[in-house]
């Protein structure tokens, strides 16, 4: 009799809890001993599966496309406020914006900007020797790195902007990411800020 009650209680608990239960009853002549083992709730496993799916490879692309609220143009502005000069590139890399600034005296600085607050995380002086090439590429240009970033933002979330000082097509290059993570490369005219697809972009 006691065995039937125990099995009924365990079965009811399994139905109410939505999980699975295993009951083993051993009855003797004078006393009953019952051992009940309950397995993990299936709902926990299903929840873990859903969270694992949400944390898949697509999240990396989404994070890359969403730099935390601080745009490339805003990161450049913050970097130049900290280190005056000419911004030559800005890139969202390793969780922060890295802005390269050519300061007076042809000295290079890399300024790191927090992508969520726009605060300066740090700055360091770099040993670069291409200041002359950069200044030559910018000669006659009216579009700054900040302007180029703003212009390219019409095509998607800007994750990098860089001065192309090689070859005959000198100007700004920008990379954007769509909400789905697709990357596109663009050329920004250094005089008109017109944005055109990069011919080398597949």
């Amino acid at each position: 009799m006691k065995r039937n009650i125990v099995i009924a209680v365990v079965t009811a608990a399994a139905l109410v809890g939505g999980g699975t239960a295993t009951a083993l009853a051993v009855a003797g002549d004078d006393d009953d001993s019952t051992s009940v083992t309950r397995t993990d709730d299936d709902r926990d496993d299903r929840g873990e599966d859903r969270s694992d799916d949400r944390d898949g490879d697509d999240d990396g692309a989404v994070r890359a496309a969403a730099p935390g609220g601080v745009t490339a143009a805003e990161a450049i502005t913050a970097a130049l406020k900290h280190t005056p000069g000419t911004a030559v590139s800005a890139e969202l890399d390793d969780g922060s914006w890295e802005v390269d600034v050519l300061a007076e005296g042809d000295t290079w600085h890399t300024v790191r900007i927090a992508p969520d607050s726009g605060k300066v995380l740090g700055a360091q002086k770099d040993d670069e020797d291409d200041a002359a090439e950069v200044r030559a590429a910018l000669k006659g240009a009216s579009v700054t790195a900040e302007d180029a970033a703003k212009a390219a933002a019409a095509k998607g979330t800007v994750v990098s902007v860089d001065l192309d000082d090689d070859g005959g097509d000198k100007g700004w290059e920008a990379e954007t990411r769509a909400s789905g993570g697709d990357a596109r490369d663009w050329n920004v005219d250094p005089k008109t800020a017109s944005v055109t697809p990069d011919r080398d972009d597949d």
Side-chain angles (χ1 to χ4, degrees):
M1 179 69 176
K2 290 181 181 179
R3 181 179 62 184
N4 293 337
I5 293 174
V6 169
I7 292 174
V9 169
V10 171
T11 302
L15 292 174
V16 171
T20 59
T22 302
L24 173 65
V26 178
D29 291 338
D30 296 328
D31 64 6
D32 294 334
S33 63
T34 303
S35 173
V36 178
T37 304
R38 184 175 175 89
T39 61
D40 291 338
D41 194 334
D42 288 342
R43 290 175 299 174
D44 293 340
D45 293 338
R46 290 194 299 269
E48 290 174 4
D49 290 343
R50 286 195 299 268
S51 64
D52 289 343
D53 292 341
R54 287 194 300 268
D55 293 336
D57 294 337
D58 290 343
D59 283 353
V62 172
R63 284 194 296 273
V70 176
T71 66
E74 291 168 342
I76 293 169
T77 299
L80 292 177
K81 185 176 180 180
H82 179 272
T83 305
T86 301
V88 177
S89 70
E91 180 180 10
L92 188 62
D93 185 41
D94 292 333
S96 66
W97 284 105
E98 292 187 359
V99 183
D100 289 333
V101 178
L102 177 58
E104 293 183 4
D106 292 344
T107 57
W108 287 95
H109 301 267
T110 298
V111 185
R112 293 173 47 245
I113 305 295
D116 54 349
S117 65
K119 293 182 178 179
V120 176
L121 299 175
Q124 66 181 31
K125 186 176 179 180
D126 293 330
D127 296 326
E128 297 287 346
D129 59 359
D130 58 348
E133 291 86 346
V134 169
R135 294 199 186 280
L138 289 173
K139 186 176 182 180
S142 56
V143 175
T144 65
E146 182 181 3
D147 296 332
K150 289 179 180 178
K155 304 296 184 180
T157 301
V158 178
V159 294
S160 72
V161 60
D162 186 36
L163 178 66
D164 181 11
D165 57 357
D166 296 328
D169 296 331
K170 294 179 173 60
W172 297 103
E173 295 179 341
E175 180 183 351
T176 62
R177 296 286 176 91
S179 58
D182 295 334
R184 291 290 307 273
D185 292 327
W186 307 91
N187 293 322
V188 182
D189 190 279
K191 294 182 179 180
T192 65
S194 62
V195 182
T196 56
D198 191 328
R199 290 176 296 183
D200 296 330
D201 185 24
D202 294 331

